Amino acid sequence: MILVDTSVWIDYFNGSDTPETSILDALLGTEPLLIGDLILVEVLQGFRSDAELARAARLLAVLEFHELVGREVALSSAFNYRSLRARGVTVRKTIDVIIGTWCILNNHQILHRDRDFDPLEQHLGLQVVRE
């Protein structure tokens, strides 16, 4: 299954034409897609109007939903962050380490447009959807 990151949803809802939004367009309705609690918060908090928020919430409600943080993911995320830092790589956003770690632990791919996931792919085996 594929977890779609906030970075792609924001571009998608803003009507941006990127390689990742094109992939998302092709996957919608044809592949099972996931959304997580942290991603849902990040996406929905950015809408300016109540109408846009309600529309997005309805659209996202059809996706499979997962809670991304629990004890195992929290511990693994801390270890992953420290492992990357030991290699000289600092990920800017802890939330991205959590999201990437959840995908690694659950053997799910991620569709993203955020450079913070690159070290998780390069050093920790995060599976990334590409064209």
Side-chain angles (χ1 to χ4, degrees), residues 1-92:
M1 293 189 84
I2 300 168
L3 181 77
V4 181
D5 181 56
T6 307
S7 54
V8 177
W9 286 118
I10 289 171
D11 284 347
Y12 186 80
F13 284 119
N14 285 330
S16 299
D17 185 20
T18 68
E20 294 80 14
T21 58
S22 295
I23 293 170
L24 178 57
D25 247 349
L27 294 173
L28 284 168
T30 63
E31 291 287 330
L33 300 177
L34 305 172
I35 190 159
D37 49 4
L38 301 174
I39 295 166
L40 188 61
V41 170
E42 287 185 318
V43 171
L44 295 181
Q45 73 187 4
F47 285 95
R48 290 186 172 90
S49 78
D50 290 343
E52 290 174 336
L53 171 69
R55 179 178 170 269
R58 280 192 310 276
L59 292 170
L60 296 172
V62 302
L63 302 176
E64 187 168 327
F65 178 85
H66 285 272
E67 294 177 359
L68 301 180
V69 182
R71 184 173 183 81
E72 178 186 8
V73 174
L75 291 171
S76 293
S77 295
F79 295 137
N80 285 343
Y81 182 90
R82 290 176 47 79
S83 170
L84 292 171
R85 193 172 63 194
R87 296 170 193 238
V89 177
T90 301
V91 179
R92 298 171 301 148

Coordinates of all heavy atoms in Angstrom, one line a residue, residues 1-92:
M1 N 0.8 -1.2 0.0 CA 0.0 0.0 0.0 C 0.9 1.2 0.0 O 2.0 1.2 0.4 CB -0.9 0.0 1.2 CG -2.0 -1.1 1.1 SD -3.2 -0.9 2.4 CE -4.3 0.2 1.6
I2 N 0.3 2.3 -0.4 CA 1.0 3.6 -0.5 C 0.5 4.6 0.4 O -0.7 4.9 0.4 CB 0.9 4.1 -2.0 CG1 1.5 3.1 -2.9 CG2 1.6 5.5 -2.1 CD1 1.2 3.3 -4.4
L3 N 1.4 5.2 1.2 CA 1.0 6.3 2.1 C 1.4 7.6 1.3 O 2.5 7.7 0.8 CB 1.8 6.3 3.4 CG 1.5 7.4 4.4 CD1 0.2 7.1 5.1 CD2 2.7 7.5 5.4
V4 N 0.4 8.5 1.2 CA 0.7 9.8 0.5 C 1.0 10.8 1.6 O 0.2 11.1 2.5 CB -0.6 10.2 -0.3 CG1 -0.3 11.5 -1.1 CG2 -0.9 9.1 -1.3
D5 N 2.1 11.5 1.4 CA 2.6 12.5 2.4 C 1.9 13.8 2.2 O 1.4 14.2 1.1 CB 4.1 12.7 2.2 CG 4.6 13.7 3.2 OD1 4.4 13.5 4.4 OD2 5.3 14.6 2.8
T6 N 1.9 14.6 3.2 CA 1.4 16.0 3.2 C 1.9 16.8 2.1 O 1.1 17.5 1.4 CB 1.8 16.7 4.5 OG1 1.4 15.8 5.6 CG2 1.1 18.0 4.7
S7 N 3.2 16.7 1.7 CA 3.8 17.5 0.7 C 3.0 17.3 -0.7 O 2.9 18.2 -1.4 CB 5.2 17.1 0.6 OG 5.4 15.7 0.4
V8 N 2.6 16.1 -0.9 CA 1.9 15.8 -2.2 C 0.4 16.3 -2.1 O -0.1 16.9 -3.0 CB 1.9 14.3 -2.5 CG1 1.1 14.0 -3.8 CG2 3.4 13.8 -2.6
W9 N -0.2 16.0 -0.9 CA -1.6 16.5 -0.8 C -1.7 18.0 -0.9 O -2.7 18.5 -1.5 CB -2.2 16.0 0.5 CG -2.5 14.6 0.5 CD1 -2.0 13.6 1.4 CD2 -3.5 13.9 -0.3 NE1 -2.6 12.4 1.1 CE2 -3.5 12.5 0.1 CE3 -4.3 14.3 -1.3 CZ2 -4.3 11.6 -0.6 CZ3 -5.2 13.4 -1.9 CH2 -5.1 12.0 -1.6
I10 N -0.8 18.7 -0.3 CA -0.8 20.2 -0.4 C -0.8 20.7 -1.9 O -1.6 21.5 -2.3 CB 0.3 20.8 0.4 CG1 -0.1 20.7 1.9 CG2 0.4 22.3 0.1 CD1 1.0 21.1 2.9
D11 N 0.2 20.1 -2.6 CA 0.3 20.4 -4.0 C -1.0 20.0 -4.8 O -1.4 20.8 -5.6 CB 1.5 19.7 -4.7 CG 2.8 20.4 -4.3 OD1 2.8 21.5 -3.8 OD2 3.9 19.8 -4.5
Y12 N -1.5 18.9 -4.5 CA -2.7 18.4 -5.1 C -3.9 19.3 -4.9 O -4.6 19.7 -5.9 CB -3.0 17.0 -4.6 CG -4.1 16.3 -5.4 CD1 -3.9 15.7 -6.6 CD2 -5.4 16.3 -4.8 CE1 -5.0 15.1 -7.3 CE2 -6.5 15.6 -5.5 CZ -6.2 15.1 -6.7 OH -7.3 14.5 -7.4
F13 N -4.1 19.7 -3.7 CA -5.3 20.6 -3.4 C -5.1 22.0 -3.9 O -6.0 22.7 -4.1 CB -5.6 20.5 -1.9 CG -6.3 19.3 -1.4 CD1 -5.7 18.5 -0.5 CD2 -7.5 18.9 -1.9 CE1 -6.4 17.3 -0.1 CE2 -8.2 17.8 -1.5 CZ -7.6 17.0 -0.6
N14 N -3.8 22.4 -4.0 CA -3.5 23.7 -4.6 C -3.5 23.7 -6.1 O -3.3 24.7 -6.8 CB -2.2 24.2 -4.1 CG -2.3 24.7 -2.7 OD1 -3.3 25.2 -2.2 ND2 -1.2 24.6 -1.9
G15 N -3.7 22.5 -6.7 CA -3.8 22.4 -8.2 C -2.4 22.5 -8.9 O -2.3 22.8 -10.1
S16 N -1.3 22.2 -8.1 CA 0.0 22.2 -8.7 C 0.3 21.0 -9.5 O -0.1 19.9 -9.1 CB 1.1 22.3 -7.6 OG 0.9 23.5 -6.8
D17 N 0.9 21.2 -10.7 CA 1.2 20.1 -11.6 C 2.6 19.7 -11.3 O 3.6 20.3 -11.8 CB 1.0 20.5 -13.0 CG 1.2 19.4 -14.0 OD1 1.1 18.2 -13.6 OD2 1.4 19.6 -15.2
T18 N 2.8 18.6 -10.6 CA 4.1 18.1 -10.3 C 4.2 16.6 -10.6 O 3.1 16.0 -10.8 CB 4.5 18.2 -8.8 OG1 3.6 17.3 -8.0 CG2 4.3 19.6 -8.3
P19 N 5.3 16.0 -10.8 CA 5.4 14.6 -11.0 C 4.6 13.8 -10.0 O 3.9 12.8 -10.3 CB 6.9 14.2 -11.0 CG 7.5 15.5 -11.4 CD 6.7 16.6 -10.8
E20 N 4.7 14.2 -8.7 CA 4.0 13.5 -7.6 C 2.5 13.7 -7.7 O 1.8 12.7 -7.4 CB 4.6 14.0 -6.3 CG 6.0 13.6 -6.0 CD 7.0 14.6 -6.7 OE1 6.6 15.7 -7.2 OE2 8.2 14.2 -6.8
T21 N 2.0 14.8 -8.0 CA 0.5 15.0 -8.2 C 0.0 14.2 -9.4 O -1.1 13.7 -9.3 CB 0.1 16.5 -8.2 OG1 0.7 17.1 -9.4 CG2 0.4 17.2 -7.0
S22 N 0.8 14.1 -10.4 CA 0.4 13.3 -11.6 C 0.3 11.8 -11.2 O -0.6 11.1 -11.6 CB 1.4 13.4 -12.7 OG 1.4 14.7 -13.2
I23 N 1.3 11.3 -10.4 CA 1.3 10.0 -9.9 C 0.0 9.8 -9.0 O -0.7 8.8 -9.1 CB 2.5 9.6 -9.1 CG1 3.8 9.6 -10.0 CG2 2.4 8.3 -8.3 CD1 5.1 9.5 -9.3
L24 N -0.2 10.7 -8.1 CA -1.4 10.6 -7.2 C -2.7 10.6 -8.1 O -3.6 9.8 -7.8 CB -1.5 11.8 -6.3 CG -2.7 11.9 -5.3 CD1 -2.8 10.6 -4.5 CD2 -2.6 13.1 -4.4
D25 N -2.8 11.4 -9.1 CA -3.9 11.4 -10.0 C -4.2 10.0 -10.6 O -5.3 9.5 -10.6 CB -3.8 12.4 -11.1 CG -4.7 13.6 -11.0 OD1 -5.7 13.5 -10.2 OD2 -4.5 14.5 -11.8
A26 N -3.1 9.4 -11.0 CA -3.2 8.1 -11.6 C -3.5 7.0 -10.6 O -4.2 6.0 -11.0 CB -1.8 7.7 -12.3
L27 N -3.1 7.2 -9.4 CA -3.4 6.1 -8.3 C -4.8 6.2 -7.7 O -5.3 5.2 -7.3 CB -2.3 6.3 -7.2 CG -0.9 6.0 -7.5 CD1 0.0 6.3 -6.4 CD2 -0.7 4.5 -7.9
L28 N -5.3 7.4 -7.7 CA -6.6 7.6 -7.1 C -7.7 6.8 -7.8 O -7.8 6.8 -9.0 CB -7.1 9.1 -7.1 CG -6.4 10.0 -6.1 CD1 -6.7 11.4 -6.4 CD2 -6.8 9.6 -4.6
G29 N -8.3 5.9 -7.0 CA -9.4 5.1 -7.5 C -8.9 3.8 -8.1 O -9.7 2.9 -8.5
T30 N -7.5 3.6 -8.3 CA -7.0 2.4 -8.9 C -6.1 1.6 -7.9 O -5.9 0.4 -8.0 CB -6.2 2.7 -10.1 OG1 -5.0 3.5 -9.8 CG2 -7.0 3.4 -11.2
E31 N -5.5 2.3 -6.9 CA -4.7 1.7 -5.9 C -5.1 2.0 -4.5 O -5.6 3.1 -4.3 CB -3.2 2.2 -6.1 CG -2.5 1.7 -7.3 CD -2.1 0.3 -7.3 OE1 -1.9 -0.3 -6.2 OE2 -2.1 -0.3 -8.4
P32 N -5.0 1.1 -3.6 CA -5.3 1.5 -2.2 C -4.3 2.5 -1.6 O -3.1 2.2 -1.7 CB -5.3 0.2 -1.4 CG -4.5 -0.8 -2.3 CD -4.6 -0.3 -3.7
L33 N -4.8 3.6 -1.2 CA -4.0 4.7 -0.6 C -4.3 4.9 0.8 O -5.4 4.7 1.3 CB -4.2 6.0 -1.4 CG -3.9 6.0 -2.9 CD1 -4.3 7.3 -3.5 CD2 -2.5 5.6 -3.2
L34 N -3.2 5.3 1.6 CA -3.3 5.4 3.0 C -3.1 6.9 3.4 O -2.4 7.6 2.7 CB -2.2 4.7 3.7 CG -2.1 3.2 3.5 CD1 -0.8 2.7 4.2 CD2 -3.3 2.5 4.0
I35 N -3.8 7.3 4.5 CA -3.5 8.6 5.1 C -3.3 8.3 6.6 O -4.0 7.4 7.1 CB -4.6 9.6 4.8 CG1 -4.1 11.0 5.3 CG2 -5.9 9.3 5.5 CD1 -4.8 12.2 4.6
G36 N -2.4 9.0 7.2 CA -2.2 8.9 8.6 C -2.6 10.1 9.4 O -2.9 11.1 8.8
D37 N -2.8 9.9 10.7 CA -3.3 10.9 11.6 C -2.4 12.2 11.5 O -3.0 13.3 11.3 CB -3.3 10.4 13.0 CG -2.1 9.7 13.5 OD1 -1.1 9.7 12.8 OD2 -2.1 9.3 14.7
L38 N -1.1 12.1 11.5 CA -0.3 13.2 11.4 C -0.4 14.0 10.1 O -0.4 15.2 10.1 CB 1.2 12.8 11.7 CG 1.5 12.1 13.0 CD1 3.0 11.6 13.0 CD2 1.2 13.0 14.1
I39 N -0.5 13.2 9.0 CA -0.7 13.8 7.7 C -2.0 14.5 7.6 O -2.1 15.6 7.1 CB -0.5 12.7 6.6 CG1 0.9 12.2 6.7 CG2 -0.9 13.3 5.2 CD1 1.1 10.9 5.9
L40 N -3.1 13.9 8.1 CA -4.4 14.5 8.1 C -4.4 15.8 8.8 O -5.0 16.8 8.3 CB -5.4 13.5 8.7 CG -6.9 13.9 8.6 CD1 -7.3 14.0 7.2 CD2 -7.7 12.9 9.4
V41 N -3.8 15.9 10.0 CA -3.7 17.2 10.7 C -2.9 18.2 9.8 O -3.4 19.4 9.7 CB -2.9 17.0 12.0 CG1 -2.6 18.4 12.7 CG2 -3.7 16.2 13.0
E42 N -1.8 17.9 9.3 CA -1.0 18.8 8.5 C -1.8 19.3 7.3 O -1.7 20.5 7.0 CB 0.3 18.2 8.0 CG 1.3 18.0 9.1 CD 2.7 17.5 8.6 OE1 2.7 16.6 7.7 OE2 3.7 18.0 9.0
V43 N -2.5 18.4 6.6 CA -3.2 18.8 5.4 C -4.4 19.7 5.8 O -4.5 20.8 5.2 CB -3.7 17.6 4.6 CG1 -4.6 18.0 3.5 CG2 -2.5 16.8 4.1
L44 N -5.2 19.3 6.7 CA -6.4 20.0 7.0 C -6.2 21.4 7.7 O -7.0 22.3 7.5 CB -7.4 19.2 7.8 CG -7.9 17.9 7.1 CD1 -8.9 17.2 8.0 CD2 -8.6 18.3 5.8
Q45 N -5.1 21.5 8.5 CA -4.9 22.8 9.1 C -4.5 23.9 8.2 O -4.7 25.1 8.6 CB -3.8 22.6 10.2 CG -2.4 22.5 9.7 CD -1.4 22.2 10.7 OE1 -1.7 22.0 11.9 NE2 -0.1 22.1 10.3
G46 N -4.2 23.6 7.0 CA -3.7 24.6 6.0 C -4.8 25.3 5.2 O -4.6 26.3 4.5
F47 N -6.0 24.8 5.3 CA -7.1 25.4 4.5 C -7.6 26.7 5.0 O -7.7 26.8 6.2 CB -8.3 24.4 4.3 CG -8.0 23.3 3.4 CD1 -7.5 22.1 3.8 CD2 -8.1 23.4 2.0 CE1 -7.2 21.0 3.0 CE2 -7.8 22.4 1.1 CZ -7.3 21.2 1.6
R48 N -7.8 27.6 4.1 CA -8.2 29.0 4.6 C -9.7 29.1 4.8 O -10.1 29.8 5.7 CB -7.8 30.0 3.5 CG -6.3 30.2 3.5 CD -5.9 31.3 2.5 NE -4.5 31.6 2.6 CZ -3.6 31.0 1.9 NH1 -3.9 30.1 1.0 NH2 -2.3 31.4 2.1
S49 N -10.5 28.4 4.1 CA -12.0 28.5 4.2 C -12.5 27.2 4.8 O -12.0 26.1 4.6 CB -12.6 28.9 2.9 OG -12.8 27.7 2.1
D50 N -13.7 27.4 5.5 CA -14.3 26.2 6.1 C -14.9 25.3 5.0 O -14.9 24.1 5.1 CB -15.5 26.7 7.0 CG -15.0 27.4 8.2 OD1 -13.8 27.2 8.6 OD2 -15.8 28.1 8.9
A51 N -15.3 25.9 3.9 CA -15.8 25.1 2.8 C -14.8 24.2 2.1 O -15.0 23.0 1.9 CB -16.5 26.0 1.7
E52 N -13.6 24.8 1.9 CA -12.5 24.0 1.4 C -12.0 22.9 2.4 O -11.7 21.8 1.9 CB -11.2 24.9 1.1 CG -11.4 25.9 -0.1 CD -10.3 26.8 -0.2 OE1 -9.6 27.1 0.8 OE2 -10.1 27.3 -1.3
L53 N -12.0 23.3 3.6 CA -11.7 22.3 4.7 C -12.7 21.1 4.6 O -12.3 19.9 4.7 CB -11.7 22.9 6.0 CG -11.5 22.0 7.2 CD1 -10.2 21.3 7.3 CD2 -11.8 22.7 8.5
A54 N -13.9 21.4 4.6 CA -15.0 20.4 4.6 C -14.9 19.5 3.4 O -15.0 18.3 3.5 CB -16.4 21.0 4.7
R55 N -14.6 20.1 2.2 CA -14.5 19.4 1.0 C -13.3 18.4 1.0 O -13.4 17.2 0.7 CB -14.3 20.3 -0.2 CG -14.2 19.6 -1.5 CD -14.1 20.6 -2.7 NE -13.7 20.0 -3.9 CZ -12.4 19.8 -4.3 NH1 -11.4 20.3 -3.6 NH2 -12.2 19.2 -5.5
A56 N -12.2 18.9 1.5 CA -11.0 18.1 1.6 C -11.2 17.0 2.6 O -10.8 15.8 2.4 CB -9.8 18.9 2.0
A57 N -11.8 17.3 3.7 CA -12.0 16.2 4.8 C -12.9 15.1 4.2 O -12.6 13.9 4.5 CB -12.7 16.9 6.0
R58 N -13.9 15.5 3.4 CA -14.8 14.4 2.8 C -14.0 13.6 1.8 O -14.1 12.4 1.7 CB -15.9 15.1 2.0 CG -17.1 15.5 2.9 CD -18.3 15.9 2.1 NE -18.1 16.8 1.0 CZ -18.1 18.1 1.2 NH1 -18.3 18.7 2.3 NH2 -17.9 18.9 0.1
L59 N -13.1 14.2 1.0 CA -12.3 13.5 0.0 C -11.3 12.6 0.7 O -11.1 11.4 0.3 CB -11.6 14.5 -0.9 CG -12.5 15.3 -1.9 CD1 -11.7 16.4 -2.6 CD2 -13.2 14.4 -2.9
L60 N -10.7 13.0 1.7 CA -9.7 12.2 2.4 C -10.3 11.1 3.3 O -9.6 10.1 3.6 CB -8.8 13.1 3.3 CG -8.0 14.1 2.5 CD1 -7.3 15.1 3.5 CD2 -7.0 13.5 1.6
A61 N -11.6 11.3 3.6 CA -12.2 10.3 4.5 C -12.4 8.9 3.8 O -12.6 7.9 4.5 CB -13.6 10.8 4.9
V62 N -12.3 8.9 2.5 CA -12.5 7.6 1.7 C -11.2 6.8 1.7 O -11.2 5.6 1.4 CB -13.0 7.8 0.3 CG1 -14.3 8.6 0.3 CG2 -11.9 8.5 -0.5
L63 N -10.1 7.4 2.1 CA -8.8 6.7 2.2 C -8.7 5.8 3.4 O -9.3 6.1 4.5 CB -7.6 7.7 2.2 CG -7.6 8.6 1.0 CD1 -6.4 9.6 1.2 CD2 -7.4 7.9 -0.3
E64 N -7.9 4.8 3.3 CA -7.6 4.0 4.5 C -6.9 4.8 5.5 O -5.9 5.5 5.2 CB -6.9 2.7 4.2 CG -6.7 1.8 5.3 CD -6.2 0.4 5.0 OE1 -6.5 -0.1 3.8 OE2 -5.5 -0.2 5.8
F65 N -7.3 4.8 6.8 CA -6.7 5.6 7.8 C -5.9 4.8 8.8 O -6.3 3.7 9.2 CB -7.8 6.4 8.6 CG -7.3 7.2 9.7 CD1 -6.9 8.5 9.4 CD2 -7.2 6.8 11.0 CE1 -6.4 9.4 10.5 CE2 -6.8 7.6 12.0 CZ -6.4 8.9 11.8
H66 N -4.7 5.3 9.2 CA -3.9 4.7 10.2 C -3.3 5.7 11.2 O -2.9 6.8 10.8 CB -2.7 3.9 9.5 CG -3.1 2.7 8.9 ND1 -3.1 1.5 9.5 CD2 -3.5 2.4 7.6 CE1 -3.5 0.5 8.7 NE2 -3.7 1.1 7.5
E67 N -3.2 5.3 12.4 CA -2.5 6.1 13.4 C -1.0 5.7 13.2 O -0.7 4.6 13.2 CB -3.0 5.7 14.8 CG -4.4 6.1 15.0 CD -5.0 5.7 16.4 OE1 -4.2 5.1 17.2 OE2 -6.2 6.0 16.7
L68 N -0.2 6.8 13.1 CA 1.2 6.6 12.8 C 2.1 6.5 14.0 O 3.2 6.1 13.9 CB 1.6 7.7 11.9 CG 0.9 7.8 10.5 CD1 1.4 9.0 9.7 CD2 0.9 6.6 9.8
V69 N 1.6 7.0 15.2 CA 2.5 7.0 16.3 C 2.0 6.1 17.4 O 0.9 6.1 17.7 CB 2.7 8.5 16.9 CG1 3.6 8.5 18.0 CG2 3.1 9.4 15.8
G70 N 2.9 5.4 17.9 CA 2.7 4.5 19.1 C 4.0 4.3 19.7 O 5.0 4.8 19.2
R71 N 4.1 3.5 20.7 CA 5.4 3.3 21.4 C 6.5 2.7 20.4 O 7.6 3.2 20.4 CB 5.2 2.3 22.6 CG 6.4 2.1 23.4 CD 6.2 1.3 24.7 NE 7.3 1.2 25.5 CZ 7.8 2.1 26.3 NH1 7.2 3.2 26.4 NH2 8.9 1.9 27.0
E72 N 6.1 1.7 19.7 CA 7.1 1.1 18.8 C 7.6 2.1 17.7 O 8.8 2.2 17.5 CB 6.5 -0.2 18.1 CG 7.5 -0.8 17.1 CD 6.8 -1.9 16.3 OE1 5.6 -2.1 16.4 OE2 7.6 -2.6 15.6
V73 N 6.7 2.8 17.1 CA 7.1 3.8 16.1 C 7.9 4.9 16.8 O 8.9 5.4 16.2 CB 5.9 4.3 15.4 CG1 6.3 5.4 14.4 CG2 5.2 3.2 14.6
A74 N 7.5 5.4 17.9 CA 8.2 6.4 18.6 C 9.7 6.0 18.9 O 10.6 6.8 18.6 CB 7.5 6.8 19.9
L75 N 9.9 4.8 19.4 CA 11.2 4.3 19.8 C 12.0 4.1 18.5 O 13.2 4.6 18.4 CB 11.1 3.0 20.5 CG 10.6 3.1 22.0 CD1 10.4 1.7 22.5 CD2 11.6 3.9 22.8
S76 N 11.4 3.5 17.5 CA 12.1 3.3 16.2 C 12.5 4.6 15.5 O 13.6 4.7 14.9 CB 11.3 2.4 15.3 OG 11.2 1.1 15.8
S77 N 11.6 5.6 15.6 CA 11.9 6.9 15.0 C 13.1 7.6 15.7 O 13.9 8.2 15.0 CB 10.6 7.8 15.1 OG 9.6 7.3 14.4
A78 N 13.1 7.5 17.0 CA 14.3 8.0 17.8 C 15.6 7.4 17.3 O 16.6 8.0 17.1 CB 14.0 7.9 19.3
F79 N 15.5 6.0 17.2 CA 16.7 5.3 16.8 C 17.1 5.7 15.4 O 18.3 5.8 15.1 CB 16.5 3.8 16.9 CG 16.3 3.3 18.4 CD1 15.4 2.4 18.7 CD2 17.1 3.8 19.4 CE1 15.2 1.9 20.0 CE2 16.9 3.4 20.7 CZ 16.0 2.4 21.0
N80 N 16.1 5.8 14.5 CA 16.4 6.1 13.1 C 17.0 7.5 13.0 O 17.9 7.8 12.3 CB 15.1 6.0 12.3 CG 14.8 4.6 11.9 OD1 15.6 3.7 12.1 ND2 13.6 4.4 11.5
Y81 N 16.4 8.5 13.8 CA 16.9 9.9 13.8 C 18.4 9.9 14.2 O 19.3 10.5 13.6 CB 16.1 10.7 14.7 CG 16.6 12.2 14.7 CD1 16.0 13.1 13.8 CD2 17.5 12.6 15.6 CE1 16.5 14.4 13.8 CE2 18.0 13.9 15.6 CZ 17.4 14.8 14.7 OH 17.9 16.1 14.7
R82 N 18.7 9.1 15.3 CA 20.1 9.1 15.8 C 21.0 8.4 14.8 O 22.2 8.8 14.7 CB 20.1 8.4 17.2 CG 19.4 9.2 18.3 CD 19.4 8.5 19.6 NE 20.6 7.9 20.0 CZ 21.7 8.5 20.5 NH1 21.6 9.8 20.7 NH2 22.8 7.8 20.8
S83 N 20.5 7.4 14.2 CA 21.3 6.6 13.2 C 21.7 7.6 12.0 O 22.8 7.6 11.6 CB 20.5 5.4 12.6 OG 21.2 4.9 11.5
L84 N 20.7 8.4 11.6 CA 21.0 9.3 10.5 C 22.0 10.4 11.0 O 22.9 10.8 10.3 CB 19.7 9.9 10.0 CG 18.8 9.0 9.2 CD1 17.5 9.6 8.9 CD2 19.5 8.5 7.9
R85 N 21.8 10.9 12.2 CA 22.6 12.0 12.7 C 24.1 11.4 12.9 O 25.0 12.2 12.6 CB 22.1 12.5 14.0 CG 22.8 13.7 14.5 CD 22.1 14.3 15.7 NE 22.2 13.4 16.8 CZ 21.5 13.5 17.9 NH1 20.7 14.5 18.1 NH2 21.7 12.6 18.9
A86 N 24.2 10.2 13.2 CA 25.5 9.6 13.3 C 26.3 9.5 12.0 O 27.5 9.5 11.9 CB 25.5 8.2 14.0
R87 N 25.5 9.5 10.9 CA 26.0 9.5 9.6 C 26.3 11.0 9.0 O 26.6 11.2 7.9 CB 25.1 8.8 8.6 CG 24.9 7.3 8.9 CD 23.8 6.8 8.1 NE 23.4 5.5 8.5 CZ 23.5 4.4 7.8 NH1 23.9 4.4 6.6 NH2 23.1 3.2 8.3
G88 N 25.9 11.9 9.9 CA 26.1 13.3 9.5 C 24.9 13.9 8.8 O 25.0 15.0 8.2
V89 N 23.8 13.2 8.9 CA 22.5 13.7 8.3 C 21.5 14.1 9.4 O 21.2 13.3 10.3 CB 21.9 12.6 7.4 CG1 20.6 13.0 6.8 CG2 22.9 12.1 6.4
T90 N 21.1 15.3 9.3 CA 20.1 15.8 10.2 C 18.8 16.1 9.4 O 18.7 16.9 8.5 CB 20.5 17.1 10.9 OG1 21.7 16.9 11.6 CG2 19.4 17.6 11.9
V91 N 17.7 15.4 9.8 CA 16.4 15.5 9.2 C 15.8 16.7 9.9 O 15.7 16.8 11.1 CB 15.5 14.3 9.3 CG1 14.2 14.5 8.7 CG2 16.2 13.1 8.6
R92 N 15.2 17.7 9.1 CA 14.7 18.9 9.6 C 13.5 18.7 10.5 O 13.3 19.4 11.4 CB 14.4 19.9 8.5 CG 15.6 20.3 7.7 CD 15.2 21.1 6.4 NE 14.3 20.3 5.6 CZ 13.3 20.8 4.9 NH1 13.0 22.1 4.8 NH2 12.5 20.0 4.2

